[in-house]
Amino acid sequence: MGDNVIAVRGVSKAFAGVQALQDISLEIAPGEIHCLAGENGSGKSTLIKVISGVHSPDAGTVELGGETFTKLNPREAIAHGVQVIYQDFSVFPNLSVMENLALTAELSDGRPLVSWRRMRQVATQALEKIGVEIDLEARVGTLPVAQKQLVAIARALMSDARLIIMDEPTTALTRREVRRLFGIILDLKARGIATLFVSHKLEEVFEISERFTIIRNGKHVITCLPEELDRKSFSTYMTGREFDETRFAPVIEDASPVLEVSGLGHDNAFEDVDLSLRPGEILGITGLLGSGRTELALALFGALKAETGEIRINGETVHLNGVRSAIAHGIGYVPEDRLTEGLFLERSIGSNIVISEIDAFVSSLGVLDQRKADAEAQRWVDELRIATPDPENPVNTLSGGNQQRVVLAKWLATNPRVLILNGPTVGVDIGSKHDIHRVLRALAAEGLAVIIISDDIPEVLENCNRVLVMNAGRIVSELDPATTDEHDLAALMSEDVDATSKGA
Amino acid sequence: MYSTGTTSPRPRLAVLRDQHVVRLAAVLALLLIFFAVMKPQYFFGPATWQSMAVQFPEFALMALGVMLTMILGGIDLSVVGVANMTAIGSASLMLAIAPTGADAGQGHLAVVCAIVFSLVLGAAAGAFNGFLVAKVRIPAILVTLGTFELFTGVAIIISAGKPISGLPPQYAEVMAARVAGIPMPLVIFVVVAALIGLLMTKTAFGTKLYMLGSNETAANFSGLKTTSLIIRTYMLSGILASAAGLVMLANYNSAKADYGSTYTLLAVLIVVLGGINPNGGSGRLTGVILAVVVLQVLSSLLNTFPNISNFYRPLIWGGVLLLVIVVNQWDKRGNLMRLLRWKGTQS
Amino acid sequence: MQSLIHRMLRANEFYLLLVIVALSLIIQARSGQFFSANNIVDLANAMVVPGIFAVGAFLVLVSGGIDVSFPALASLAVYATTRILVDAGWSGGVWLPFLLAIAFGAILGAFNGLFTSRIAVPVLIITLGTANVFSGFMQGALGSVQIPNIPAGMSEFGRATLFVATNPASGLTSNMPVSFLLLIAVVVGAFLLLRYTKFGRGIYAIGGDESAASRAGFNVRRIKFWLYVIVGMTAAIAGLVRTSMMEQMHPTNLLGMELMVIAAVVLGGTAITGGTGTLTGAMLGTLLIVIVQNSMILVGIPTFWQGFALGVLIIVGTGISAVQLTRRSRKRSAALV
Amino acid sequence: ACTPGGQSADPGAAPAEGGDGDYTIAIVPKDSTNPWFVRMEEGVKRFAADTGLDVYQKGPAETDATMQAQVIQDLIAQGVDAIGVVPVDPGALETVLKQAMDAGIVVVTHEGASQENTMYDIEAFNNTDYGAFIMDNLAEAMGEEGVYTTMVGHVTNASHNEWADGAVAQAEANYPNLTLLEAEPRVESQDDGEVAYQAAKELLKKYPEIKGIVGTSSFDAPGVARAIEELGLTGKVFVSGTGMPAANKSILDKGLVKTLTLWDPADAGYALAALAEKILNGEEITDGLDLGVAGYEDMNFAEGSDKVLEGNGWVVITKDNVDEFGF
Ligand SMILES: Nc1ncnc2c1ncn2[C@@H]1O[C@H](COP(=O)(O)OP(=O)(O)OP(=O)(O)O)[C@@H](O)[C@H]1O
Ligand SMILES: Nc1ncnc2c1ncn2[C@@H]1O[C@H](COP(=O)(O)OP(=O)(O)OP(=O)(O)O)[C@@H](O)[C@H]1O
Ligand SMILES: [Mg+2]
Ligand SMILES: [Mg+2]
């Protein structure tokens, strides 16, 4: 195929001790929507970085617009119409939306000076193109995650790109925004622009892609059309394992609730929230970004002081005036953003796991019993199947899914009565996701009360025995997953759109 | 998917896994060999080592405090101020309890009181730093730069800028004593360093210190008492600085507001050379101790060349620091260490 | 309009300005001398050298680093310049000293730049090393000593006066040095560089997110390298101004200024973590420190208490903006204790 | 020349072993950038050349008591025969100099009249007298009347404060019309010409009555003179103090400063080394000691001291003789 937008041929790339890519080939035709799939750490991001010139491959070539490169730099890639929306967005938090949008374009013309007038024009156009409104003067660091991502998307779309690469673009987006993104992708296709798309959300992948490439452990597994695959075989190609999709059926023996909340409210984030949770239950809370779900979770964890209402644990009213008191009452919280809120990246996996209960390993003399702590860490590494040769390794040697297990392990180790998980499988591959769900169900069966906050609808429906839908700071309905289907739930979440946008 | 990651053999000793420490040790070894070959008469003389043993504990103790705060992601530039302030405070106290000509009993009492007072004052000064960092949330570099001026100012005010001397002889007896031929300052340093080492590796405090330095938000979410941890760390740094002040008080038999004015940057240099990450969260005590020894040996070696001016000292120290940085960069994959290890590493 | 006021109230510079005004009023009340023409000129005079240094320190802070080597760099560059010219018996104008000093500053800055652009180690560490190398080289290899008679061109420049401010009451006169124009030129130059060149936006971009900058197509290495070259040149200018104004070369006169200058810039609201900060803030911060350092006698603070007072000021000054920030962020993510 | 190993073993033996004339003598100044000590080194080198001994100067990299102590410590370890020190701070050196003497090393000092652990200390003059002399010069310039104040390098600097005290005492005793500025009797220049300049400007703004400033550090007079000139007070306000001729030629020529005082550090360095050699040779040190260099040819013990030897006087520089010194 001589008319490919891009052809990757036999690319290999190794990092200190890790063969991230091995003899990978990939071709994308103009206007094609191509999906790149693989587990965490399989090499997707690395491949993307090779294509965009961030990493130079150890072997192999990249062909762009008929030119063959053995070594490519970001400028050359951009000049050949390759635009990347990175997993971490690659935005400048300290600069305004306008500059974030326009700087790349400014850079690509040869002049040494910047024109603020031109930048404003360019930025306005970029936002118009994807039909969103964001304050051009706002500093990107102060924007919510979804808007940051929209900035990154708008930026990538404004140049005359021939290939747009999106590395997990939908992780932080709400359904509504995902719809809009897909609209944009189809629009691009109509204009002959190809898209390379990475996502862990299967339904999205099947919905939008025209072709798949699956890689595993840095090696090419298969390239095929969606009709040649069903979800199950797709998962099998990715992981080499097989999964059954089952629904969660709770075993609730003790009828008295462990956690009760009535009339809880905070500022204008959420109000009048009532809920109750019994041991063994998995309660889903779902809602769009900005619906108040995260603030509610923080309030239940004591990190945000509720202004009205009360929280009862085992029937007793408690005042959570900080994270520590929540922990003391047996509440655990797996935060939304594991990198900044959940993990100590340079520290060992073991100490990340035991940190919240470390005082339990201190003898009366004040000496830390390291062996006991290590044993505890090892127990959780085994239990949660955290893929590491050694718990002494730093957490940042783990892939996303395994990092998430570490955060989970930390909270399970504190032996909580209530575990709140905010987006437990964001950006986690299906293998890991499955494992995490399995663990949660098993814990619930042992009597733990779990709250899963997520906008991943299948996740909520499959793993919860009750689902609360939040909208504009209020709980708008309670559903039984067994009798609800995905489309109904989605409709409920995005109902009353006006009220929602107010909270965002 | 559970087979990702490498399975290269890991040296048993955790320290040997730290490539930076290994390289520092290599630098020290080369240096000692050079010393032994070039100046055997000094290298093999005990006086050289005894002289070093008296010199470095002063600033090495301060460096330990800077190390702790840097692991936390902060810094302590006030150590010299704390040392001088506490030394002047305790010297004044000693003179008040046992004025010149007092008997030995009074003298001993004065020494004990002064040591306790000094450490308490150091802890208070450190806690003040910690409070400003943790509660008021002023960047540590500004807090401690300000309190350096403040503590030095207090030292000048109470001493009227003059040296305070004429200490009871009992102080010198205690502090200039030798334990098995080892000068007291070194004994103090070794004991203190061992205690700090235990604190860092064998207590929950140590683990929390590293964790907090690595990610403060996550530490909050994990339920660590971050405010108290920060305050306690700066307190420790204050205590270490006051211990350094006590050693200086002994070495110079007097206290003054401007002693050791060059130690601030020296302490930072040592800590950084020792491999502590200035952004917090990692680094080892072993590295810092090695860095102290490297710099002290270098400087004593330099003093054995009468014709080389002491002005070369910063040049050489800076050079060593840059050298280590460059080697670290060049040797990212740890080739040097592989040489020191047994063969079979695969990837 | 309302958003303007709102923005102003959030700006660190606004509070800094309030502190400066309050302090000025106190000094005025205590001495009756603060708002006299010649005192203002004296402060402007005292501001020149720290001000130029602050611009360099600010540039580096914005790019995400902390440079502690600039006083040593300036000393070495200016010492070498003065030594060479004195030995050669240079009696011409000040252009050659400036040319030489800036050239040396650029070379030494390039030395910094070489390391910082190629080695992924915090700039603080690197410059701690190079600062020692610079001062050690000057004092050891060059055997620096005080040079009492600097070239005539330099001392003429040091004495050159824009205008003379007279205090009508006391008849005292103060000279506004020509070098104040240099400070203005450096500040304006830095402003234009930061605001209107891709290089300047690149400095902000790198300070915000280095890998994002490189992905966006900035040549991060090159930007960093030239940044340190520029900082070296501004530092050398500051050093030459100091030497010219003192009419003597004291090799160690500048050493030890670094922390105070960095504190001043941070006081002005520049984040230590890089990416944010304004030149206005940096200059206001420097001004505050300069005012305090040069008003102790005016206020009548006894000599013994001056260090203490300076310490209190740094803590209170930074404390005000810190409390401001905490209160703002606490609104968002409450009681994380 | 060095004795290998530098043994501390035999405290009593030191001066006695002399006689072979093959000594290592180290002179330790306060620092080495200051032209003062650069000049001193010339004297030390001259002595080395005159005698053929191994005599050298080695100071700390900065004027810092602790660093100076470390240099001495290292010299002890190297077993030099004699150490001549210009202490940054006598108190801070007591311990280390005692160690040196215990190790059998000859220890002599200069500008360390209060030093206890030294064999002899030589002073170009008596500090109080020197301060008085600075006062005399200032009083003359001021016409023996008016308000004055004093400036020291650091309030922590002992000699500067002694000179300043001497100056004040002299004014009280002999110049009834001179008054010390009550509100700011002592300001700091931080041994920095720029700070001296700024501080003087502040002083003169706040206290217009000031007519004279006693400078002590060699940075004071030039800095203050700069301020006087700029403020338009030439001929109305005066300064005196210590200073080197070449460094101050221009302010003397301009008449900003009438007189400066000093002693020649090269001579002091020479004398210090000569004294050390005499002790090593076992010569007896008595009144009338001749160290073979001008000003130090007839040294006598200070009153009530068997350690401090005082030479005869200091040098006065005026614009007329400023060119005669050659340094
Ligand atoms: N800069 C790097 N240095 C060292 N190793 C790296 C680096 N980047 C990636 N790797 C390694 O390469 C492998 C592939 O990583 P990559 O980021 O491409 O995974 P991925 O497919 O993007 O995973 P995910 O689905 O989670 O995004 C990982 O196992 C990792 O260890
Ligand atoms: N600069 C780097 N240096 C070292 N290792 C890296 C680097 N960048 C990525 N890695 C490693 O690459 C692996 C995968 O990286 P990546 O960031 O893609 O996470 P991930 O597995 O994709 O997680 P997620 O699915 O949540 O995106 C991890 O092991 C990570 O530690
Ligand atoms: Mg990923
Ligand atoms: Mg990835």
Side-chain angles (χ1 to χ4, degrees), chain A residues 16-69:
Chain A
V18 183
Q19 188 69 38
L21 295 175
Q22 202 172 340
D23 196 21
I24 295 268
S25 298
L26 174 76
E27 289 169 353
I28 301 174
E32 177 181 341
I33 301 173
H34 195 110
C35 169
L36 182 63
E39 296 190 285
N40 292 133
S42 58
K44 305 179 298 290
S45 299
T46 308
L47 179 58
I48 289 169
K49 286 174 187 164
V50 167
I51 296 174
S52 60
V54 173
H55 290 323
S56 48
D58 302 335
T61 58
V62 177
E63 245 177 71
L64 287 175
E67 247 181 282
T68 306
F69 296 89

Coordinates of all heavy atoms in Angstrom, one line a residue, chain A residues 16-69:
Chain A
A16 N 16.2 0.2 29.4 CA 17.0 -0.5 30.3 C 16.3 -1.8 30.8 O 15.5 -1.7 31.7 CB 17.4 0.4 31.5
G17 N 16.7 -2.9 30.2 CA 16.2 -4.1 30.7 C 14.8 -4.5 30.2 O 14.4 -5.6 30.5
V18 N 14.1 -3.7 29.5 CA 12.8 -4.0 29.1 C 12.7 -3.9 27.6 O 13.0 -2.9 27.0 CB 11.7 -3.1 29.7 CG1 10.3 -3.5 29.2 CG2 11.8 -3.0 31.2
Q19 N 12.3 -5.0 26.9 CA 12.0 -4.9 25.5 C 10.6 -4.4 25.3 O 9.6 -5.2 25.4 CB 12.2 -6.3 24.9 CG 12.2 -6.3 23.3 CD 13.4 -5.6 22.7 OE1 14.5 -5.8 23.3 NE2 13.2 -4.9 21.7
A20 N 10.4 -3.1 25.1 CA 9.1 -2.6 25.1 C 8.4 -2.9 23.8 O 7.2 -3.1 23.7 CB 9.1 -1.1 25.3
L21 N 9.2 -2.9 22.7 CA 8.6 -3.2 21.4 C 9.5 -4.1 20.7 O 10.7 -4.0 20.7 CB 8.5 -1.9 20.5 CG 7.5 -0.8 21.0 CD1 7.6 0.4 20.1 CD2 6.1 -1.3 21.0
Q22 N 8.9 -5.1 19.9 CA 9.7 -6.1 19.2 C 9.2 -6.3 17.9 O 8.1 -6.9 17.7 CB 9.8 -7.4 20.1 CG 11.0 -8.2 19.7 CD 11.1 -9.4 20.7 OE1 10.5 -9.4 21.7 NE2 11.8 -10.4 20.3
D23 N 9.9 -5.8 16.9 CA 9.5 -6.1 15.5 C 8.0 -5.8 15.2 O 7.3 -6.7 14.7 CB 9.9 -7.5 15.1 CG 9.9 -7.8 13.6 OD1 10.0 -6.8 12.9 OD2 9.7 -8.9 13.2
I24 N 7.6 -4.6 15.5 CA 6.2 -4.2 15.3 C 6.0 -3.6 13.9 O 6.8 -2.7 13.6 CB 5.8 -3.2 16.4 CG1 5.8 -3.9 17.7 CG2 4.4 -2.7 16.0 CD1 4.5 -4.5 18.2
S25 N 5.0 -4.0 13.2 CA 4.7 -3.3 12.0 C 3.2 -2.9 12.0 O 2.4 -3.6 12.6 CB 4.9 -4.3 10.8 OG 6.3 -4.6 10.7
L26 N 2.9 -1.8 11.3 CA 1.6 -1.3 11.4 C 1.4 -0.3 10.2 O 2.3 0.4 9.9 CB 1.4 -0.5 12.7 CG 0.2 0.3 13.0 CD1 -1.0 -0.7 13.3 CD2 0.4 1.2 14.1
E27 N 0.2 -0.4 9.6 CA 0.0 0.5 8.5 C -1.4 1.2 8.7 O -2.3 0.5 9.1 CB 0.0 -0.2 7.1 CG 1.4 -0.6 6.7 CD 1.3 -1.6 5.5 OE1 0.2 -2.0 5.1 OE2 2.4 -1.9 5.0
I28 N -1.5 2.4 8.4 CA -2.8 3.1 8.5 C -3.1 3.8 7.2 O -2.2 4.6 6.7 CB -2.8 4.0 9.7 CG1 -2.5 3.3 11.0 CG2 -4.2 4.7 9.8 CD1 -2.4 4.1 12.2
A29 N -4.3 3.6 6.7 CA -4.6 4.3 5.4 C -5.3 5.6 5.7 O -5.8 5.8 6.8 CB -5.6 3.4 4.7
P30 N -5.3 6.5 4.8 CA -6.0 7.8 5.0 C -7.4 7.6 5.4 O -8.1 6.8 4.9 CB -5.9 8.5 3.6 CG -4.8 7.9 2.9 CD -4.7 6.4 3.4
G31 N -7.8 8.4 6.4 CA -9.2 8.4 6.8 C -9.6 7.1 7.7 O -10.7 7.0 8.1
E32 N -8.6 6.3 7.9 CA -8.9 5.1 8.6 C -9.0 5.3 10.1 O -8.2 6.1 10.7 CB -7.8 4.0 8.4 CG -8.0 2.7 9.2 CD -6.9 1.7 8.9 OE1 -6.3 1.8 7.8 OE2 -6.7 0.8 9.7
I33 N -9.9 4.7 10.8 CA -9.9 4.8 12.3 C -9.4 3.5 12.8 O -10.1 2.4 12.7 CB -11.3 5.1 12.8 CG1 -11.9 6.4 12.2 CG2 -11.3 5.1 14.3 CD1 -13.3 6.6 12.5
H34 N -8.2 3.5 13.3 CA -7.5 2.3 13.7 C -7.3 2.2 15.2 O -7.0 3.2 15.8 CB -6.1 2.3 13.0 CG -5.4 1.0 13.0 ND1 -5.2 0.3 11.8 CD2 -4.9 0.3 14.0 CE1 -4.6 -0.8 12.1 NE2 -4.4 -0.9 13.4
C35 N -7.6 1.1 15.7 CA -7.5 0.9 17.2 C -6.3 0.1 17.5 O -6.0 -0.9 16.9 CB -8.8 0.2 17.7 SG -8.6 -0.3 19.4
L36 N -5.5 0.7 18.5 CA -4.4 -0.1 19.0 C -4.7 -0.6 20.4 O -5.1 0.2 21.3 CB -3.2 0.9 19.1 CG -1.8 0.3 19.5 CD1 -1.4 -0.8 18.6 CD2 -0.8 1.4 19.6
A37 N -4.7 -1.9 20.6 CA -5.1 -2.4 21.8 C -4.0 -3.3 22.4 O -3.2 -3.8 21.7 CB -6.4 -3.3 21.6
G38 N -4.1 -3.4 23.7 CA -3.1 -4.2 24.4 C -3.2 -3.9 25.9 O -3.8 -2.9 26.3
E39 N -2.7 -4.8 26.7 CA -2.8 -4.6 28.1 C -1.9 -3.4 28.6 O -1.1 -2.9 27.8 CB -2.2 -5.9 28.9 CG -3.1 -7.1 28.6 CD -2.6 -8.2 29.6 OE1 -1.5 -8.7 29.4 OE2 -3.3 -8.4 30.6
N40 N -2.0 -3.1 29.8 CA -1.1 -2.1 30.4 C 0.3 -2.6 30.2 O 0.7 -3.7 30.5 CB -1.3 -1.9 31.9 CG -2.7 -1.3 32.2 OD1 -3.4 -1.7 33.0 ND2 -3.0 -0.2 31.4
G41 N 1.2 -1.7 29.7 CA 2.6 -2.1 29.6 C 2.9 -2.9 28.4 O 4.0 -3.4 28.3
S42 N 1.9 -3.1 27.5 CA 2.2 -3.9 26.3 C 3.0 -3.2 25.3 O 3.5 -3.8 24.4 CB 0.9 -4.4 25.7 OG 0.1 -3.3 25.4
G43 N 3.1 -1.9 25.4 CA 4.0 -1.1 24.5 C 3.3 -0.1 23.6 O 3.9 0.4 22.7
K44 N 2.0 0.1 23.9 CA 1.2 1.0 23.0 C 1.8 2.4 23.1 O 2.0 3.0 22.0 CB -0.3 1.0 23.5 CG -0.9 -0.4 23.5 CD -2.3 -0.3 24.0 CE -2.5 0.2 25.4 NZ -2.0 -0.7 26.5
S45 N 2.0 2.9 24.3 CA 2.4 4.3 24.4 C 3.8 4.4 23.8 O 4.2 5.4 23.2 CB 2.5 4.7 25.9 OG 1.2 4.6 26.4
T46 N 4.6 3.4 24.0 CA 6.0 3.4 23.4 C 5.9 3.5 21.9 O 6.6 4.3 21.2 CB 6.7 2.2 23.8 OG1 6.7 2.1 25.3 CG2 8.2 2.3 23.4
L47 N 5.0 2.7 21.3 CA 4.9 2.7 19.8 C 4.5 4.1 19.4 O 5.0 4.6 18.4 CB 3.8 1.7 19.4 CG 3.5 1.6 17.9 CD1 4.8 1.3 17.2 CD2 2.5 0.5 17.6
I48 N 3.5 4.7 20.1 CA 3.1 6.0 19.8 C 4.2 7.0 19.9 O 4.4 7.9 19.0 CB 1.9 6.4 20.7 CG1 0.7 5.6 20.3 CG2 1.6 7.9 20.6 CD1 -0.4 5.7 21.3
K49 N 5.0 6.9 20.9 CA 6.2 7.8 21.0 C 7.2 7.6 19.9 O 7.9 8.6 19.5 CB 6.8 7.6 22.4 CG 5.9 8.2 23.5 CD 6.5 8.0 24.9 CE 5.4 8.4 25.9 NZ 5.7 7.9 27.3
V50 N 7.3 6.4 19.4 CA 8.2 6.2 18.3 C 7.6 6.9 17.0 O 8.4 7.6 16.4 CB 8.4 4.7 18.0 CG1 9.1 4.5 16.7 CG2 9.2 4.0 19.1
I51 N 6.3 6.7 16.8 CA 5.7 7.4 15.7 C 5.8 8.9 15.7 O 6.0 9.5 14.7 CB 4.2 6.9 15.5 CG1 4.2 5.4 15.3 CG2 3.6 7.7 14.4 CD1 2.7 4.9 15.3
S52 N 5.7 9.4 16.9 CA 5.7 10.9 17.1 C 7.1 11.4 17.3 O 7.2 12.6 17.5 CB 4.8 11.3 18.2 OG 5.3 10.7 19.4
G53 N 8.1 10.6 17.2 CA 9.5 11.1 17.3 C 10.0 11.3 18.7 O 11.1 11.9 18.8
V54 N 9.2 11.0 19.7 CA 9.8 11.2 21.1 C 10.9 10.2 21.4 O 11.9 10.5 22.0 CB 8.6 11.1 22.1 CG1 9.2 11.2 23.5 CG2 7.6 12.3 21.9
H55 N 10.6 8.9 21.0 CA 11.7 7.9 21.1 C 12.2 7.5 19.8 O 11.4 7.4 18.8 CB 11.1 6.6 21.8 CG 10.7 6.8 23.2 ND1 11.5 7.5 24.1 CD2 9.7 6.2 23.9 CE1 10.9 7.5 25.3 NE2 9.8 6.7 25.2
S56 N 13.5 7.3 19.7 CA 13.9 6.8 18.4 C 14.1 5.3 18.5 O 14.6 4.7 19.5 CB 15.2 7.4 18.0 OG 16.1 7.4 19.0
P57 N 13.6 4.5 17.5 CA 13.6 3.1 17.6 C 15.0 2.5 17.5 O 15.9 3.1 16.9 CB 12.7 2.6 16.4 CG 12.8 3.8 15.4 CD 13.0 5.0 16.2
D58 N 15.2 1.3 18.1 CA 16.5 0.7 18.0 C 16.6 0.0 16.7 O 17.8 -0.1 16.2 CB 16.6 -0.4 19.1 CG 16.4 0.1 20.5 OD1 16.7 1.3 20.7 OD2 16.0 -0.6 21.4
A59 N 15.5 -0.4 16.1 CA 15.6 -1.0 14.8 C 14.3 -0.7 14.1 O 13.3 -0.4 14.7 CB 15.8 -2.5 14.9
G60 N 14.3 -0.8 12.8 CA 13.0 -0.6 12.0 C 12.9 0.9 11.5 O 13.7 1.7 11.9
T61 N 11.9 1.1 10.7 CA 11.7 2.4 10.1 C 10.2 2.9 10.3 O 9.3 2.1 10.5 CB 12.0 2.4 8.6 OG1 11.1 1.4 8.0 CG2 13.4 2.0 8.4
V62 N 10.1 4.1 10.2 CA 8.8 4.7 10.2 C 8.6 5.5 8.8 O 9.5 6.3 8.5 CB 8.6 5.7 11.3 CG1 7.2 6.4 11.2 CG2 8.7 5.0 12.7
E63 N 7.6 5.2 8.1 CA 7.4 5.8 6.8 C 6.2 6.8 7.0 O 5.1 6.5 7.4 CB 6.9 4.8 5.8 CG 7.9 4.6 4.6 CD 7.4 3.5 3.8 OE1 6.4 3.7 3.0 OE2 7.9 2.4 3.8
L64 N 6.5 8.1 6.6 CA 5.5 9.1 6.7 C 5.5 9.8 5.4 O 6.5 10.3 4.9 CB 5.9 10.1 7.8 CG 5.8 9.7 9.2 CD1 6.3 10.8 10.1 CD2 4.3 9.5 9.6
G65 N 4.3 9.9 4.8 CA 4.1 10.6 3.5 C 5.1 10.2 2.5 O 5.7 11.1 1.8
G66 N 5.4 8.9 2.4 CA 6.4 8.5 1.4 C 7.8 8.6 1.8 O 8.7 8.0 1.2
E67 N 8.1 9.3 2.9 CA 9.5 9.4 3.3 C 9.8 8.3 4.4 O 9.0 8.1 5.3 CB 9.7 10.8 4.0 CG 10.7 11.7 3.2 CD 10.9 13.0 3.9 OE1 9.9 13.9 3.8 OE2 11.9 13.2 4.6
T68 N 11.0 7.8 4.4 CA 11.3 6.7 5.3 C 12.3 7.3 6.3 O 13.3 7.9 6.0 CB 11.9 5.5 4.6 OG1 11.0 5.1 3.6 CG2 12.2 4.4 5.6
F69 N 12.0 7.1 7.6 CA 12.8 7.6 8.7 C 13.3 6.4 9.5 O 12.6 5.5 9.9 CB 12.1 8.5 9.6 CG 11.6 9.8 9.0 CD1 10.3 9.8 8.4 CD2 12.4 10.9 9.0 CE1 9.9 11.0 7.8 CE2 11.9 12.1 8.4 CZ 10.7 12.1 7.8

